[in-house]
Amino acid sequence: MTNTLDTTIRAITNGAAPGETCTDDLAKGPWEFDATPGYGPGSSMFDVIPTGTPRQGALPAAYQDATQEDLHRRIRAAKDALGDRLVILGHFYQRDEVVAHADFLGDSFQLANAALTKPDAEYIVFCGVHFMAETADILARPEQTVILPNLAAGCSMADMADEDSVEAAWEELTSVYGTEPDADGRAPVIPVTYMNSSAALKAFCGKHGGIVCTSSNAATVLEWAFERGQRVLFFPDQHLGRNTAKAMGVPLEQMPMWNPRKPLGGSSREELMDARVILWHGFCSVHKRFTVDQISAARESHPGVRVIVHPECPMPVVDAADESGSTDYIRRAVADATEPTTFAIGTEINMVNRLAAEYPQHTIFCLDPVICPCSTMYRIHPGYLAWVLEELVAGRVVNEIAVASTIQDNARLALERMLAAKPRN
Ligand code: SF4
């Protein structure tokens, strides 16, 4: 299982990877770069370190010095000792050597739901990033404890919309739109947050009549919001918002960008009055790397190639691709192809490599020749997994992610609205 990851790291070490935003830091052990106040070295070196970002303490030397074989043996032993008291969740973008120990593999929402199928598990160890563990905690039973093996595993996109900036934006928008509904009873603006956001922002949406979306159901959620509001404030990912609204027929001129550093987000009052979707100035450092040129190159080198990209990619890339869809859409597209097919995929490299290994009848490659994993997800190393599990065996909980009770209810409300939202037909 480690071959694809080893190949990736070797490529980074050998200099194949460094590009505009990707460094060779990922070739090191995560405890080496977690010792300095960097944030997401690799794909997100331009990201500002958000205030209050959880910081990981030093991993005990016994784990740093252990061999991979030893770590795997210890993880297996701890899993056996904990039995049904434990469930381990692994995200699609996670390293192979961590996924090997996961009870469930999926996207963030699938994993939060998978945890619900294990109500007797006392411990949910989420091998993903911070906002995913928060969502699992919101949906879990109160007696269950959610653990993130490395607290430095945040999401650079999620951190691009912080609670204070969104509250400030809401205040400014309210000053423009007022609070009164129109003749059809629609609110001036409905907040919609992507799943990739903090629990505090999900709670913000719950409190202000808004909702959460995933990359699978963004169109359904926008329909829900347009039934209840004249316009939408969509955060943090501008690309998912733009790609989804454009496919629904919203003109680009009615999708101004909200830059939290500028008055009125950088738009005029008239532009905001005319807006249908106000897009937060956020993006995913991994998916932003894909380009139209890469698609052209893939088509030239592999005539007949089927190009599928994630909707977190920029609009020109989504427009140029044959299809776009969530990680689960991509997985199903590959799994359902009955004839040997060549796929060029625009999403995170660990997932693409895993699909290539799983479906050898197809030719599957990543659109981006400069290999760059989700560097924040990548921080969950088997060393951290072994550490949190052995601590549990010893009766100690480390790295618990507990969403404050003051925001649990509103965050759950926004998630429940999403679950209840159904496509029109
Ligand atoms: S791939 Fe992008 S959006 Fe997903 S966890 Fe990594 S940084 Fe965040």
Side-chain angles (χ1 to χ4, degrees), residues 157 161 166 170 173 189-195 205 211-215 217-219 221-222 225 231-245 256-258 276-282:
M157 178 211 281
V166 172
W170 192 252
L173 290 173
V189 58
I190 298 279
V192 176
T193 190
Y194 188 19
M195 184 65 85
C205 288
I211 186 167
V212 179
C213 78
T214 68
S215 52
N217 65 14
V221 165
L222 278 189
R231 53 185 76 75
V232 162
L233 172 63
F234 190 97
F235 45 83
D237 186 22
Q238 57 172 292
H239 299 299
L240 178 65
R242 185 181 296 110
N243 289 323
T244 308
M257 184 98 85
W258 186 275
R276 294 279 287 145
V277 181
I278 301 156
L279 299 167
W280 196 263
H281 194 252

Side-chain angles (χ1 to χ4, degrees), residues 26 30 33-34 38-45 47-50 53-56 91 93-95 98 126-132 148-160 196 283-286 348 350 372-381 384:
L26 291 171
F33 50 76
D34 283 349
Y39 184 77
S43 59
S44 54
M45 68 191 250
D47 300 337
V48 177
I49 303 171
T53 301
R55 303 301 299 165
Q56 177 67 47
H91 191 271
Y93 297 167
Q94 193 54 258
R95 306 162 169 257
V98 167
F126 208 127
C127 298
V129 296
H130 196 258
F131 76 81
M132 300 176 187
L148 183 65
N150 182 345
L151 291 179
C155 163
S156 49
M157 178 211 281
D159 291 329
M160 287 176 193
N196 302 23
F283 56 85
C284 165
S285 310
V286 175
E348 204 270 351
N350 277 306
C372 205
C374 170
S375 62
T376 46
M377 187 90 67
Y378 187 78
R379 291 175 154 197
I380 310 276
H381 180 277
Y384 288 98

